[in-house]
Amino acid sequence: QVQLAESGGGLVQAGGSLTLSCVASGGTFSWDAVGWFRQAPGREREFVAGIGGDGGRMILAEFVKGRFTISRDDAKNTVFLQMNSLEPEDTATYYCADRTFRATMNHADYHYWGQGTQVTVSS
């Protein structure tokens, strides 16, 4: 059983930055892939970024390329999502999720989920 806890959300002005953290407990974290997803009110959950346990291979949604980066620190069981040049359209609840080995863009592939952290970007 893996437990995930997100932190780092908040209110920021457009153009600003935030770093989200996802801390995992349980399981063998270095083998696990972690994905970041987000969901805004009235919209479906969408993939943002993922990083694999297979050497840390990364995938990013097209709409965040050049703005967001994902990284991991296995010694701290933590995955980070660095978000720069934030836009009001990035406002959402951000969730991290865990699956074995390889990150994918499909939320149905992930087995464990955190409770989410709210990101609000003002214009």
Side-chain angles (χ1 to χ4, degrees):
Q1 187 81 10
V2 176
Q3 292 82 43
L4 302 172
E6 304 97 336
S7 63
L11 173 64
V12 64
Q13 289 187 329
S17 299
L18 284 174
T19 300
L20 305 184
S21 299
C22 174
V23 179
S25 59
T28 306
F29 182 73
S30 61
W31 295 354
D32 290 351
V34 173
W36 284 98
F37 294 79
R38 69 186 188 185
Q39 188 166 20
R43 300 188 64 177
E44 293 187 354
R45 189 167 297 192
E46 62 180 353
F47 171 80
V48 177
I51 187 165
D54 53 350
R57 184 162 40 184
M58 296 174 283
I59 49 175
L60 293 170
E62 283 296 324
F63 59 81
V64 302
K65 286 183 178 179
R67 299 191 300 130
F68 293 9
T69 57
I70 187 169
S71 61
R72 65 188 297 156
D73 184 341
D74 288 345
K76 297 181 179 179
N77 283 9
T78 303
V79 169
F80 303 97
L81 183 67
Q82 173 68 45
M83 307 187 295
N84 300 321
S85 302
L86 283 162
E87 304 166 352
E89 293 74 22
D90 295 315
T91 296
T93 301
Y94 284 70
Y95 300 89
C96 65
D98 180 282
R99 71 184 303 270
T100 302
F101 206 52
R102 182 166 296 177
T104 72
M105 301 175 69
N106 185 354
H107 65 84
D109 292 337
Y110 290 79
H111 310 300
Y112 304 101
W113 290 82
Q115 294 299 307
T117 186
Q118 178 66 37
V119 172
T120 303
V121 184
S122 63
S123 57

